Amino acid sequence: MFETQNHTLSTKSEYSQNPVDLSKTNTISKLASRFSLSRSTLLYYDRIGLLRPSNRTSTGHRRYDQEDYERLRLICALRKVGLSLQDVIMLLDEFTEPIQVRKMLEKRSMQVVHEMKLLDKQNLVLTDMISKLKHLKNLSLIHISEPTRPRLIS
């Protein structure tokens, strides 16, 4: 579970499969490795304010604690469902009501449904092209892009 100002979101994902002991802080490289991210991704998240390290050493090295780990787990889960970094920042740092979060997730769900319909249409075209290629004796690609038309019975 993760609290974002006034509400809690579940962060169950493949990242929660292996509990991590962050009783002490971890370096940027260890945290990046834990989530299969690059070090530069975490540096970028720091630069845009999405994930700031909880501490820094006297030499300026970033140190991440359990709260940072949980925040990154939620960031990764939200990215995995296709939310943009801008939406993730808004969801984590600006939204104060569960209804705002729900509306953003519903919007993304509608986008996914739309994308699936487009992919289904693409797949129909691909299936038609593949079918036409199976029946060609010689390679004449010009005919595979023609739509299949019902044949008139004479």
Side-chain angles (χ1 to χ4, degrees):
M1 302 296 263
F2 184 82
E3 292 186 28
T4 60
Q5 292 191 13
N6 296 335
H7 56 278
T8 304
L9 294 173
S10 174
T11 60
K12 298 279 186 205
S13 73
E14 72 267 16
Y15 306 116
S16 61
Q17 301 289 331
N18 304 320
V20 64
D21 177 19
L22 287 177
S23 54
K24 57 182 183 345
T25 60
N26 276 290
T27 65
I28 191 169
S29 296
K30 285 183 183 176
L31 191 64
S33 174
R34 183 82 179 148
F35 287 89
S36 300
L37 297 172
S38 68
R39 186 177 174 280
S40 61
T41 296
L42 293 187
L43 290 171
Y44 180 69
Y45 286 178
D46 184 8
R47 193 167 54 250
I48 65 172
L50 183 57
L51 181 70
R52 301 234 186 245
S54 56
N55 296 302
R56 286 189 183 252
T57 65
S58 59
T59 55
H61 292 95
R62 292 164 177 81
R63 295 290 184 200
Y64 297 90
D65 64 12
Q66 183 67 38
E67 188 175 320
D68 300 325
Y69 174 86
E70 294 299 330
R71 184 174 173 96
L72 183 56
R73 185 167 56 181
L74 181 57
I75 290 166
C76 289
L78 294 171
R79 294 289 288 144
K80 191 170 186 172
V81 297
L83 290 182
S84 69
L85 286 177
Q86 181 181 353
D87 286 344
V88 172
I89 290 169
M90 218 176 354
L91 190 144
L92 295 179
D93 297 336
E94 296 174 23
F95 287 176
T96 58
E97 298 296 325
I99 192 166
Q100 294 172 299
V101 175
R102 191 188 83 229
K103 284 184 178 185
M104 179 179 281
L105 296 177
E106 286 173 345
K107 178 183 172 189
R108 177 62 190 143
S109 180
M110 290 180 356
Q111 289 170 337
V112 168
V113 168
H114 177 72
E115 291 169 14
M116 288 170 51
K117 288 178 182 177
L118 292 176
L119 288 172
D120 280 342
K121 288 178 183 178
Q122 287 178 10
N123 193 43
L124 286 174
V125 172
L126 285 168
T127 303
D128 186 53
M129 289 178 162
I130 291 166
S131 176
K132 288 176 182 174
L133 282 169
K134 287 179 182 176
H135 303 296
L136 285 179
K137 301 272 189 243
N138 58 7
L139 190 58
S140 176
L141 295 180
I142 211 148
H143 299 294
I144 67 168
S145 64
E146 294 174 357
T148 303
R149 295 184 193 123
R151 293 184 182 176
L152 296 176
I153 301 175
S154 36

